[in-house]
Structure formats: structure tokens, C-alpha cells
Amino acid sequence: GALRLMPGVIGSFPFEYVIFDRTLSLNVLLPALGPAGILFTVLFAWPWIERWVTRDDREHHLLDRPRNAPTRTAIGVAGVVWYSVMWAAASSDLVATHFRVSLNDVTYWLRALFFIGPIIAYIVTKRIALSLQRKDREIALHGRETGRIVRLPHGEFIEVHEPLDDYRQYQLVSFESPEVLPAQPDANGRVRRTEKLRGRLSRMFFEDRVAPVTPAELEAAHAHGHPAVEEPAARAQEQVTSR
């Protein structure tokens, strides 16, 4: 797929050179080795990259839910989309013949998606992960929506929420969410370029993080939130029955 997407020339810039009477075809060498090298290098180096950004040298033996690591998940989906575009490009001729479109048009669209597709996938995936985190936070604080609407004796309508079981609640609140760690000066008071880069990456990773529910928030929500609504709802039902 990468070979099919690679152009022979870009404007007046050629990709073939004659060196010592031998032709060096970069338009074959680069797509053949470049994408695979980038993909496997990132996969191999990612644990060290994330450890450097978070400065977390502890051992981790439990997997994170994808939504609880939005940036990591978004980068992973971007890589999948990037690979899938090349996968589709490998069958660009079949796409053109089956849908009766121009092969050149298919190639141009896939070339655009090669660069734009991962960016769109990253943005959309991260937004979805953060939205799911906010939903989990709401469920952990207020319980599960039952869809039952109850009218209280004074005329107020409320939706009854059910408290979560211990396992489900633990799953929603027990995850780590690193905070942004700005660039730190060294022993001489200088902020090196690598440290500035790490600070920018930390801000990109965790600037819009959704903090997990704290025990204090959980206790306050259960004391004054929706799960306590079961009692007045039950009393309302008893009053209706007695009448």
C-alpha cells in the first residue's frame, strides 16, 4: 500500500539518483522500509516515552481501561487508521474497479487520508474517551439511571437512581490519572530543551484530564445524591397505596 501511495516525483524533486553507476530509488526504498520502521519503533519505545513524560518509574502490572488513558488510546487508534489507509491502498485497483471510479482519484484520496486520517482519528478518539470518563464519573457519584420517574408527595418528579455494586464502583473510581508536570529546572537552575519538550508533551497528554472520583466526593454524593432518593420514592409509593 505504501508503495502505491508513494509518488515518483514531487514537483521538480525526483526520488531517483544515480550513484556510482547504480540507481538509488528512494520512491521504493522509503515506502518499503519507512512505515514499518516508524510503526515498530513507536510500539517498542512507547513504554519509555510515557515513563519519561510522566516521570513515573514504578512497575505497573494492571492494564488501564482505554478510556482512562485518552491520549495513549488516541495515538493507538491514529496508528491503526494510518496502517489501515496503507492496507486499503494495497487494493486501490480493486476499489477503483468495484466502485467504477478513477484509480488516480482513489490514490489521491488515500494520499490525503495518509496524513489527515490519523489526525482526525486522534482528535475524535480522545474526545470520546474523555466523554466516557465524564459519564463514568457521573455514574460513580449518582448511581445508575433506572429510567423510572417517580412523583413525590409535594409534586416533584424525580428519576430514581440505583447505587452501584462494590465491584462496578471500584472499576469506575480506581484508576490513576497523572497530572500535568511542567518543565523542571536542573540542579543549576537551567531548564533544558529536552525538559521543555517533556513539559509540552505532559501538557498535551494530561491538560484536559478527568480526575477520578475521590473518596470524599463519593461519600458526599452518596449522602446527598441520587441513591438517597430511593427512600422518599418508597415513602411516596406507600402514601399512594394507603390512599
Side-chain angles (χ1 to χ4, degrees), residues 75-225:
I75 292 176
V77 173
V80 171
V81 170
W82 187 58
Y83 174 84
S84 298
V85 170
M86 291 183 284
W87 192 15
S91 301
S92 57
D93 53 341
L94 297 178
V95 173
T97 56
H98 278 67
F99 292 96
R100 300 178 182 275
V101 294
S102 169
L103 177 60
N104 289 335
D105 290 343
V106 173
T107 302
Y108 292 145
W109 275 103
L110 290 174
R111 284 176 179 172
L113 287 175
F114 182 84
F115 297 100
I116 301 175
I119 299 175
I120 296 175
Y122 174 86
I123 296 173
V124 172
T125 303
K126 190 169 184 178
R127 292 297 103 191
I128 292 175
L130 291 171
S131 298
L132 291 174
Q133 277 189 306
R134 295 188 183 97
K135 179 182 177 182
D136 286 350
R137 182 181 176 85
E138 184 73 15
I139 293 174
L141 289 174
H142 303 297
R144 185 180 65 85
E145 297 179 357
T146 62
R148 293 189 293 117
I149 306 298
V150 176
R151 183 178 181 181
L152 299 180
H154 57 275
E156 179 187 1
F157 288 92
I158 59 171
E159 181 182 11
V160 179
H161 287 63
E162 291 182 354
L164 303 175
D165 59 79
D166 293 339
Y167 174 78
R168 179 62 174 164
Q169 183 172 297
Y170 177 81
Q171 186 184 33
L172 295 182
V173 302
S174 62
F175 66 92
E176 295 184 359
S177 180
E179 299 182 5
V180 175
L181 184 61
Q184 303 293 322
D186 56 16
N188 298 323
R190 294 179 53 192
V191 181
R192 299 183 179 276
R193 292 182 179 179
T194 55
E195 183 62 16
K196 291 181 180 179
L197 174 61
R198 190 206 58 77
R200 286 194 292 267
L201 289 176
S202 179
R203 187 166 56 251
M204 183 191 76
F205 274 44
F206 309 115
E207 187 174 25
D208 47 4
R209 61 186 284 271
V210 177
V213 178
T214 63
E217 290 176 329
L218 197 60
E219 183 178 356
H222 286 184
H224 306 288

